[in-house]
Amino acid sequence: MAVTVESHATLGEAARALGSGATYLGGGTIVMRDLNAGLVQGRVVRSTDPALTQIRPMGDGIEIGAGVTMAAIAAHPDLGFLHPVVRAVGGPQVRNMATIGGNLFAAHPYGDLAGALLALGARVTIAGGMQRPVEDVLRDRARVGLVAAIQVPRPRDARAFGFRKVSRVKPKGVSLMSFAALLPREGGRLRGVRIACVGLGPAPLRSPAAERALEGGTLDAATIARAAQLVTDGLDPPTDALASAWYRREVAGVHLRRLLEGML
Ligand SMILES: Cc1cc2nc3c(=O)[nH]c(=O)nc-3n(C[C@H](O)[C@H](O)[C@H](O)COP(=O)(O)OP(=O)(O)OC[C@H]3O[C@@H](n4cnc5c(N)ncnc54)[C@H](O)[C@@H]3O)c2cc1C
């Protein structure tokens, strides 16, 4: 079947066009591969709306247009807390094309930036203006619609946010798993902990057991060891060509512990 590409000047027009069963094209790192493999057919919709590539301060955070690339985030001085995350996505060619919006929809084993956004408690604006927590979007990806922008709260200080990616091939390999942790401290106690995992489920998700082990405590070796021991409780890691579910369960705690020790 022939593929037609429609370019729309506004997000609103693109969203209406998508409503009738087309595929949205962000940076294309996944869509173009699927198209070349014959997996995407029919209509492909893209938008040249300038709002898609804007990065602007907003309250305590920053709003990032869904079409902003990993390379643009890596070059932005106000987004230093995300630099280690986006620099871990693919190689330079991929980072020049891959968008933050596309990362929310990238299937396992992808989604490193989506995991970081989950830990940070980001909110997602859908074309038309509705806002949803990023965890809702990650749970319901097939029905979300066109993402316009992502609001990212800024961590209180550099020690409050950390990221760790585990891959077999360095530096450009896909994640065997990755972790992002938000550890806000109040009077020495951890309050509002969020631990996000990529590669331990069908989409980036939080580890409620690890969060419970850390919440209200102090960040010390004993608390970290408990969180590491519990991290996969209630999760159902997949088996794939990269690793078995058993292996993922065995090593997840080791890598979460290394991440948290780096945030002491
Ligand atoms: C060689 C290679 C290495 C990679 N390495 C990594 C890695 O290390 N870590 C990682 O996380 N990912 C990796 N990826 C996956 C991918 O590059 C990223 O996840 C990227 O962020 C996807 O964004 P995109 O704009 O290219 O998405 P596209 O390919 O354009 O789209 C992907 C999906 O998202 C949907 N989509 C895109 N934008 C929107 C939007 N605004 N609203 C609604 N739906 C939208 C599309 O319809 C499609 O279903 C890699 C890919 C390749 C090819």
Side-chain angles (χ1 to χ4, degrees):
M1 185 195 285
V3 174
T4 56
V5 180
E6 298 171 16
S7 218
H8 294 275
T10 69
L11 263 174
E13 286 169 27
R16 280 190 289 282
L18 262 189
S20 40
T23 301
Y24 185 74
L25 176 69
T29 54
I30 295 171
V31 169
M32 289 309 295
R33 189 179 61 183
D34 288 352
L35 195 147
N36 289 329
L39 301 172
V40 168
Q41 298 188 336
R43 292 167 49 246
V44 171
V45 169
R46 65 189 281 273
S47 174
T48 53
D49 195 323
L52 278 170
T53 50
Q54 278 175 10
I55 300 176
R56 58 187 182 114
M58 221 184 130
D60 288 341
I62 302 192
E63 183 174 77
I64 305 177
V68 170
T69 62
M70 304 292 159
I73 294 173
H76 201 286
D78 293 343
L79 294 172
F81 57 100
L82 288 178
H83 289 176
V85 185
V86 294
R87 287 184 186 136
V89 172
Q93 297 95 328
V94 168
R95 292 198 287 273
N96 279 334
M97 294 173 66
T99 65
I100 184 171
N103 204 259
L104 294 175
F105 297 88
H108 170 87
Y110 299 141
D112 294 315
L113 180 55
L117 297 172
L118 180 59
L120 288 162
R123 292 184 66 80
V124 174
T125 305
I126 314 296
M130 192 173 67
Q131 277 205 0
R132 297 176 67 178
V134 71
E135 45 227 293
D136 285 7
V137 169
L138 292 170
R139 254 196 308 264
D140 193 24
R141 294 194 279 199
R143 283 186 292 270
V144 168
L146 182 54
V147 170
I150 297 102
Q151 289 78 35
V152 189
R154 208 190 296 266
R156 271 184 226 158
D157 60 72
R159 275 192 323 157
F161 178 70
F163 171 78
R164 181 179 178 85
K165 170 167 171 164
V166 185
S167 55
R168 293 196 188 278
V169 180
K170 291 190 177 136
K172 293 191 275 183
V174 296
S175 284
L176 186 60
M177 59 188 70
S178 68
F179 295 98
L182 184 71
L183 303 180
R185 287 166 237 220
E186 277 174 25
R189 299 265 161 198
L190 299 168
R191 305 268 180 228
V193 171
R194 293 172 70 98
I195 305 290
C197 318
V198 174
L200 298 182
L205 33 73
R206 290 167 69 182
S207 167
E211 290 179 357
R212 275 195 301 275
L214 293 162
E215 185 68 30
T218 52
L219 192 64
D220 54 31
T223 320
I224 290 174
R226 256 182 67 70
Q229 189 188 5
L230 296 171
V231 61
T232 57
D233 269 26
L235 307 186
D236 187 17
T239 291
D240 58 21
L242 295 170
S244 65
W246 173 85
Y247 180 78
R248 285 188 160 95
R249 279 189 192 282
E250 286 293 305
V251 303
V254 174
H255 293 291
L256 180 65
R257 178 172 55 73
R258 288 180 185 166
L259 167 63
L260 299 180
E261 284 174 349
M263 297 172 75
L264 276 169

